[in-house]
């Protein structure tokens, strides 16, 4: 563990990068995924088809392949990102939003049809009834699986550092191990612990959110 | 009670508030509404009764287009029901609906349930909507429940809240789809009392129900449906004492013997 303490500054910087990637991608993926879910339950067939196609394409592709596509594929159509960090956030958001979409959609399906009918009956438009009545209830139902997705996302950020020049925790691990071959186990344990500093409190926070927002039915 | 005052132009012109003309609807092969024509005047209270599966709920739900119809025309205040989109939402805001299973918004308080439509659809201020909302809750006798969520209320209280929610939109007509069918017997009357008082105040109402007491007390007309058709229309008195059709006689004998 001595190597971990000696390189605390680098570790701290890597930790902040991992945290920033996680939070940015979680926010974007949750918003985009919710929009995709709205597409998938909308009465407009082209939107439904788009949502379904997006989910099928992205969900069934390895995350590493999504990274390759964003970092090396998009520049060939003149779409480049200002840094690997931004590209990584894009790749993670694209990938995670497909999972968010399906979780939110299952939440929407869990809200009884009568709720949406009552919303329409007082004159709310489709968008309003989703926003005001259906989605708020759907989200409350899917807090635990959304928590799973957010935690998986934190760990998925490791691909950015492991494979693509983003200076995060995952990139730090082999670097430190190379420099301190005698302490490999301690270094990897330290790195793993740093991830848990993000994921374990996330899980606890999700549990608190679940209890606070529970609906009496 | 069947007509409003002489200042009401539409009533003067004799135009029905709700008009169904040659309406046909199928669920797959099942012909649930067969050539239904029905005119409902302003201020009129119509009770629709019939055995289960007769299409009475579907008829009710077609009037605010929660169900679409394949043939025929439905007009509200002379205006053909829009197919979809904002125009349909606008039309629905003028048609109050009360469901068998209440369908109060589970994540909102009773007061929020009543103010959501006025704020989001009518563009009223929160303060204005809440003032009117509390008046309506007072009117249906649950003003002390305003800050609770639906699951904390009894069925009868929930249904009265649902009526207040519909009234908050100042609807032209109120649809009641078996409003007391999911209630315990001792709660049925508190809901019916609210409905009778609404009827006395001149609200145009279409009520799908098996509550014969309500029909006798408040209805101007009883519409008896069977197998997707309107079999008989009559005043409550005539319908209950001297039904013309065999089908109605048979139905009444079954529900009135107990």
């Amino acid at each position: 563990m001595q190597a971990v303490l000696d390189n605390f500054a680098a570790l701290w910087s890597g930790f902040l990068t991992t945290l920033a990637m996680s939070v940015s991608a979680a926010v974007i993926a949750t918003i985009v995924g919710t929009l995709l879910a709205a597409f998938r339950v909308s009465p407009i067939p082209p939107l439904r088809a788009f949502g379904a196609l997006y989910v099928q394409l992205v969900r069934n592709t390895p995350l590493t392949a999504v990274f390759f596509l964003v970092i090396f594929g998009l520049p060939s159509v003149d779409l480049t990102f200002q840094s690997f960090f931004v590209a990584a956030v894009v790749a993670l958001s694209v990938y995670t939003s497909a999972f968010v979409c399906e979780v939110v959609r299952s939440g929407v399906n869990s809200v009884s049809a009568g709720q949406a009918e009552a919303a329409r009956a007082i004159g709310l438009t489709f968008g309003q009834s989703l926003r005001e009545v259906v989605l708020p209830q759907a989200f409350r139902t899917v807090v635990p699986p959304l928590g799973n997705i957010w935690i998986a996302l934190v760990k998925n950020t490791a691909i950015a550092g492991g494979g693509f020049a983003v200076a995060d925790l995952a990139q730090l691990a082999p670097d430190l191990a190379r420099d301190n071959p005698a302490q490999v186990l301690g270094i990897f344990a330290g790195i793993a612990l740093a991830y848990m500093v993000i994921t374990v409190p996330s899980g606890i926070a999700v549990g608190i959110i679940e209890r606070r927002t529970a609906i009496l039915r | 009670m069947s007509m409003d005052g002489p200042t009401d132009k539409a009533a003067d012109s004799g135009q029905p508030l709700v008009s169904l003309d040659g309406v046909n609807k199928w669920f797959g092969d099942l012909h649930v509404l067969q050539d239904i024509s029905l005119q409902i005047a302003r201020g009129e209270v119509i009770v629709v009764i019939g055995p289960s599966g007769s299409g009475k709920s579907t008829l009710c739900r077609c009037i605010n287009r929660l169900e679409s119809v394949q043939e025929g025309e439905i007009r509200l205040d002379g205006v053909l029901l829009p197919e979809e989109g904002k125009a349909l939402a606008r039309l629905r805001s003028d048609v109050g609906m009360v469901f068998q299973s209440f369908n109060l918004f589970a994540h909102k308080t009773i007061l929020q349930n009543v103010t959501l439509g006025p704020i989001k659809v009518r563009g009223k201020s929160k303060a204005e909507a809440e003032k009117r909302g509390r008046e309506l809750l007072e009117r249906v006798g649950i003003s002390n429940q305003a800050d609770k969520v639906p699951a904390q209320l009894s069925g009868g209280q929930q249904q009265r809240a649902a009526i207040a929610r519909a009234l908050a939109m100042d609807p032209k007509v109120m649809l009641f789809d078996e409003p007391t069918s999911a209630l315990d017997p001792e709660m049925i009357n508190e809901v019916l009392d609210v409905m009778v008082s609404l009827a006395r105040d001149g609200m145009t109402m279409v009520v799908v129900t098996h509550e014969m007491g309500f029909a006798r007390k408040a209805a101007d007309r009883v519409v008896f449906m069977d197998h997707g058709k309107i079999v008989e229309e009559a005043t409550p008195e005539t319908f209950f004492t001297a039904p013309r059709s065999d089908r109605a006689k048979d139905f009444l004998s079954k529900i009135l013997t107990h």
Side-chain angles (χ1 to χ4, degrees):
Chain A
M1 286 297 264
Q2 192 55 42
V4 172
L5 296 177
D6 290 345
N7 293 283
F8 189 76
L11 196 76
W12 177 244
S13 154
F15 172 81
L16 289 182
T17 303
T18 293
L19 185 64
M21 261 194 299
S22 304
V23 172
S24 315
V27 170
I28 297 171
T30 305
I31 294 168
V32 174
T34 304
L35 269 176
L36 286 167
F39 282 9
R40 291 208 67 177
V41 299
S42 96
I44 303 163
L47 288 184
R48 281 208 302 274
F50 175 82
L53 185 69
Y54 181 99
V55 167
Q56 290 308 332
L57 278 181
V58 173
R59 186 174 61 174
N60 296 312
T61 310
L63 176 56
T64 316
V66 177
F67 266 91
F68 270 113
L69 184 81
V70 168
I71 292 177
F72 302 116
L74 292 184
S76 71
V77 289
D78 284 335
L79 199 64
T80 50
F81 298 98
Q82 56 193 0
S83 67
F84 279 118
F85 177 85
V86 174
V89 168
V90 169
L92 288 162
S93 302
V94 164
Y95 181 78
T96 308
S97 58
F99 294 89
V100 171
C101 167
E102 289 303 89
V103 161
V104 171
R105 190 167 69 91
S106 76
V108 168
N109 291 340
S110 80
V111 178
S112 77
Q115 294 283 311
E117 281 187 351
R120 280 185 286 153
I122 59 170
L124 297 180
T125 60
F126 176 77
Q128 283 177 320
S129 55
L130 261 192
R131 262 198 317 279
E132 302 291 336
V133 176
V134 177
L135 281 179
Q137 295 185 51
F139 271 116
R140 287 164 161 90
T141 314
V142 298
V143 169
L146 267 183
N148 277 345
I149 291 177
W150 289 328
I151 288 169
L153 165 64
V154 174
K155 297 183 291 179
N156 284 341
T157 62
I159 290 186
F164 306 88
V166 177
D168 70 351
L169 287 171
Q171 193 185 50
L172 208 57
D175 288 355
L176 289 182
R178 202 159 40 242
D179 297 344
N180 308 277
Q183 301 179 48
V184 170
L185 208 59
I187 287 164
F188 285 162
I191 298 283
L193 206 67
Y195 276 100
M196 289 171 73
V197 169
I198 303 176
T199 51
V200 172
S202 299
I204 294 169
V206 165
I208 293 170
I209 294 172
E210 186 189 351
R211 279 192 299 281
R212 288 264 171 89
T213 61
I215 312 172
L216 202 60
R217 287 187 209 264
Chain B
M1 198 206 301
S2 63
M3 283 288 175
D4 276 353
T7 51
D8 196 322
K9 277 183 198 152
D12 278 349
S13 68
Q15 181 192 52
L17 181 58
V18 179
S19 127
L20 291 86
D21 195 14
V23 169
N24 278 287
K25 178 176 178 66
W26 289 263
F27 284 128
D29 288 337
L30 187 64
H31 198 171
V32 281
L33 293 180
Q34 303 185 21
D35 212 22
I36 301 284
S37 293
L38 181 67
Q39 320 292 320
I40 301 165
R42 208 166 290 264
E44 196 177 11
V45 176
I46 302 255
V47 163
V48 184
I49 68 172
S52 101
S54 60
K56 55 194 193 304
S57 278
T58 307
L59 173 73
C60 187
R61 292 163 56 84
C62 285
I63 296 174
N64 67 351
R65 215 177 148 80
L66 281 181
E67 300 284 354
S68 58
V69 300
Q70 283 97 338
E71 275 176 23
E73 289 185 344
I74 302 176
R75 289 170 190 276
L76 180 79
D77 224 353
V79 180
L80 204 60
L81 293 200
E83 297 254 310
E84 55 191 27
K86 290 217 163 66
L88 178 58
R90 221 170 7 253
L91 174 128
R92 282 186 179 136
S93 70
D94 288 334
V95 180
M97 177 116 191
V98 176
F99 300 87
Q100 179 177 352
S101 48
F102 329 135
N103 293 344
L104 290 173
F105 306 132
H107 63 306
K108 291 185 179 290
T109 65
I110 297 304
L111 186 63
Q112 287 170 339
N113 264 274
V114 177
T115 58
L116 181 68
I119 292 171
K120 294 293 168 185
V121 179
R122 297 276 191 246
K124 283 191 186 178
S125 72
K126 187 161 179 260
E128 196 184 349
E130 286 188 348
K131 180 168 174 287
R132 170 96 169 114
R134 287 189 191 278
E135 284 167 13
L136 287 167
L137 292 180
E138 180 79 49
R139 175 172 178 186
V140 300
I142 51 168
S143 53
N144 53 342
Q145 312 291 330
D147 299 316
K148 293 188 183 168
V149 293
Q152 293 171 297
L153 271 58
S154 72
Q157 290 171 329
Q158 287 193 54
Q159 195 59 300
R160 286 184 281 155
I163 293 173
R165 173 176 69 181
L167 288 175
M169 302 302 291
D170 298 315
K172 293 175 178 170
V173 52
M174 289 275 283
L175 310 175
F176 293 83
D177 186 5
E178 303 206 28
T180 57
S181 300
L183 294 175
D184 290 336
E186 74 268 29
M187 290 169 187
I188 289 176
N189 280 333
E190 64 189 52
V191 172
L192 291 180
D193 287 345
V194 170
M195 290 167 60
V196 168
S197 94
L198 266 183
R200 299 241 154 98
D201 289 349
M203 176 61 77
T204 310
M205 295 164 66
V206 177
V207 184
V208 175
T209 187
H210 290 131
E211 295 297 332
M212 300 306 145
F214 173 81
R216 282 174 184 274
K217 212 183 287 181
D220 296 304
R221 194 159 33 130
V222 171
V223 171
F224 176 70
M225 287 185 73
D226 190 30
H227 289 110
K229 290 188 185 125
I230 293 180
V231 178
E232 192 164 342
E233 285 179 61
T235 62
E237 199 47 40
T238 312
F239 181 76
F240 290 119
T241 53
R244 288 191 309 274
S245 63
D246 289 342
R247 194 64 196 86
K249 282 175 196 157
D250 181 52
F251 178 74
L252 287 173
S253 75
K254 279 178 184 145
I255 59 166
L256 294 179
T257 46
H258 294 289

